[in-house]
Amino acid sequence: MKIFNMTELIWSLCEILWIDLAPGQLDKVRILLSHNAAARTDAFLSMDEVLRKMPIFNQLYRGNSVSEFDMKWRHWRDDCERRLESGEFSTSTNLDIMARILCGEESVFAHIKDLCETWYHMLVSKMLYQRPTVKSVDLHYYAQASMDEFRGDGRMSEMDSILLSTLEFDVHQVIKDCSAVLSGWWFVSHLTDILHHCGQLESHRLEFGHNLREYLLLDYATSLMSHCSLWQVGVDYLDQCHDTGRHYLEQFIDNMPIETERKAHKLLNICEKRNMPEQIKSICKVMGMRCLKNQRLGAALSWFLRSKDVAFATLIAEKFLSEYNEHGEFSNLDLLDNLGSSMLISHRLTFLAKYREYHRLYEERELYAAGSLLLSLLTSRLAPRE
């Protein structure tokens, strides 16, 4: 739970600083206040008006400069201070404290310090109500002051260090510290990926050439590929590694144990979607040889046909013919009767399929068609010599 809370906090801060500003939630505050029993009194109505008029920069920035917003903010705060000094909120202690917070009074923050769980809660409150137009490059100065206020000994936790690096816009240090502190590669991989898509990693590259995003995604994908049930998820991550992901995937598939036919079919589906003929042939050969070893000739032939392996398809056809010579009948009739165009992969398989068709026609008493097919087989020289 501690790790989850850390990742949520770091992600949220990175989102605010580097991706997109979170909108103000004043409407929710006003709704909350409206449920108070005294919501229709002058003090509450005055506070509702103050909140309604509070300028929000992310709603004004289009066509408006920071200086214009700052001017609007100062006018709004002057109005809030006027109402506070005139005693409009004096009938309610909580509204009075709320108004002093909105006005950014330093003394009130010291008064409510115990309501803040940690230094960054206080930092956000002070910045929002005292310096709403603070420059991002100056944030770490105020962060350090808030930390000193909460921790007189000056010591920083691992979490403090990561947050401070984030406020200093040190992308590389944030990723490095998260890799060391948080377990696994999940968080740093996803954080780095989204920062890459936001254009924050253009100047951050590792010495050996791969970009930071791909390096971390490969590490995370590798951990997934080694898991007995998560390896399919790892494939999707490797797809996002455009430089070396395919090479890694080929190597993983080449060395992956295939315990069941179900897993084999999953691997084949992955390979077929990504046009990986060598891996398809290898998987089919492994499964075909396993079936052949267990005397499952029909299954073995299906695997070799799927990979279009001429040599082994011919070998299986020979075994079917030997079986017929020994027992006088064919096995796996459903397969032999439905080979279709697959029979053309080898001459021996073509003969096997046609010879089985001759037997079927003969059994159905279609003697003329059976005789014509047998004659065709003899004259085409497809029949084995022995």
Side-chain angles (χ1 to χ4, degrees):
M1 195 63 189
K2 178 182 177 182
I3 292 175
F4 175 78
N5 289 333
M6 290 175 66
T7 56
E8 183 182 29
L9 180 61
I10 297 169
W11 184 280
S12 298
L13 181 57
C14 291
E15 184 178 12
I16 292 170
L17 295 178
W18 292 323
I19 302 172
D20 190 21
L21 293 177
Q25 300 186 44
L26 295 179
D27 289 339
K28 293 182 179 179
V29 177
R30 294 175 63 200
I31 292 173
L32 183 62
L33 290 177
S34 70
H35 292 296
N36 192 284
R40 303 310 300 171
T41 63
D42 291 341
F44 273 83
L45 291 174
S46 179
M47 177 56 70
D48 183 74
E49 186 178 1
V50 168
L51 293 173
R52 179 174 57 82
K53 291 181 177 180
M54 181 178 178
I56 304 297
F57 181 73
N58 64 335
Q59 294 178 355
L60 297 173
Y61 74 93
R62 293 181 180 177
N64 292 270
S65 66
V66 174
S67 59
E68 288 175 313
F69 168 77
D70 190 57
M71 181 182 66
K72 292 177 183 291
W73 174 271
R74 291 178 186 277
H75 284 307
W76 171 82
R77 190 174 63 181
D78 289 342
D79 178 56
C80 186
E81 289 175 345
R82 180 187 57 78
R83 293 172 187 251
L84 178 63
E85 292 172 359
S86 66
E88 289 190 19
F89 309 114
S90 59
T91 58
S92 170
T93 302
N94 289 330
L95 286 184
D96 185 76
I97 293 174
M98 187 174 176
R100 291 166 62 196
I101 293 173
L102 292 175
C103 293
E105 286 188 8
E106 186 64 36
S107 59
V108 77
F109 289 107
H111 178 70
I112 64 171
K113 176 182 174 182
D114 293 339
L115 298 178
C116 298
E117 295 180 12
T118 184
W119 62 269
Y120 45 82
H121 290 171
M122 179 64 76
L123 173 67
V124 171
S125 300
K126 281 191 172 183
M127 291 300 98
L128 181 57
Y129 299 113
Q130 289 184 340
R131 296 174 177 83
T133 56
V134 61
K135 293 183 179 179
S136 55
V137 294
D138 295 329
L139 277 175
H140 67 283
Y141 297 116
Y142 297 103
Q144 190 65 58
S146 294
M147 291 173 64
D148 294 341
E149 185 177 352
F150 268 78
R151 295 194 179 132
D153 55 13
R155 291 186 300 176
M156 289 196 302
S157 66
E158 294 173 330
M159 187 65 182
D160 293 338
S161 298
I162 294 175
L163 294 179
L164 193 58
S165 296
T166 306
L167 292 171
E168 292 173 347
F169 288 78
D170 191 343
V171 179
H172 193 275
Q173 190 63 43
V174 171
I175 295 172
K176 181 180 178 181
D177 289 345
C178 288
S179 301
V181 174
L182 303 176
S183 60
W185 293 103
W186 180 89
F187 179 73
V188 291
S189 299
H190 289 81
L191 177 63
T192 306
D193 180 64
I194 197 168
L195 292 179
H196 162 76
H197 288 295
C198 294
Q200 295 293 332
L201 297 181
E202 294 177 358
S203 61
H204 298 273
R205 289 187 171 271
L206 298 180
E207 294 180 359
F208 50 82
H210 296 307
N211 65 63
L212 184 59
R213 167 189 173 271
E214 181 146 331
Y215 172 77
L216 292 172
L217 281 179
L218 286 172
D219 265 1
Y220 182 57
T222 297
S223 67
L224 292 174
M225 293 298 292
S226 62
H227 195 280
C228 60
S229 59
L230 297 178
W231 63 270
Q232 293 178 86
V233 182
V235 173
D236 294 329
Y237 280 89
L238 290 174
D239 284 341
Q240 302 305 314
C241 302
H242 303 299
D243 292 341
T244 57
R246 183 181 176 88
H247 173 71
Y248 270 68
L249 180 58
E250 291 173 350
Q251 295 298 314
F252 278 122
I253 291 177
D254 287 341
N255 295 281
M256 184 173 290
I258 308 175
E259 300 88 354
T260 63
E261 288 195 4
R262 183 180 180 184
K263 186 173 182 178
H265 284 296
K266 289 180 178 179
L267 285 170
L268 284 175
N269 185 51
I270 289 170
C271 295
E272 287 170 350
K273 286 183 177 179
R274 291 158 181 80
N275 190 27
M276 302 168 68
E278 293 301 318
Q279 282 66 36
I280 292 174
K281 189 171 183 178
S282 176
I283 294 168
C284 290
K285 184 174 182 179
V286 169
M287 297 304 296
M289 294 300 292
R290 186 178 298 174
C291 293
L292 186 58
K293 183 179 179 180
N294 295 326
Q295 299 300 313
R296 297 174 57 206
L297 296 184
L301 180 58
S302 296
W303 284 111
F304 293 130
L305 289 177
R306 187 164 184 175
S307 64
K308 297 181 172 57
D309 193 316
V310 177
F312 278 98
T314 300
L315 175 64
I316 299 298
E318 293 282 4
K319 287 188 175 293
F320 270 113
L321 291 172
S322 297
E323 185 181 70
Y324 174 78
N325 286 335
E326 184 176 349
H327 303 289
E329 59 183 7
F330 291 108
S331 61
N332 297 281
L333 294 181
D334 286 342
L335 175 64
L336 296 181
D337 288 342
N338 294 281
L339 283 174
S341 60
S342 297
M343 73 173 73
L344 302 177
I345 193 174
S346 82
H347 293 314
R348 188 63 75 237
L349 190 60
T350 302
F351 172 78
L352 174 65
K354 290 297 182 181
Y355 193 55
R356 162 57 196 158
E357 184 181 354
Y358 156 73
H359 275 272
R360 182 178 58 77
L361 291 172
Y362 184 81
E363 291 169 359
E364 294 173 355
R365 311 306 297 171
E366 296 185 22
L367 300 181
Y368 182 81
S372 298
L373 180 55
L374 181 61
L375 181 62
S376 175
L377 288 174
L378 292 174
T379 56
S380 65
R381 299 182 180 180
L382 290 176
R385 295 181 178 274
E386 298 180 1

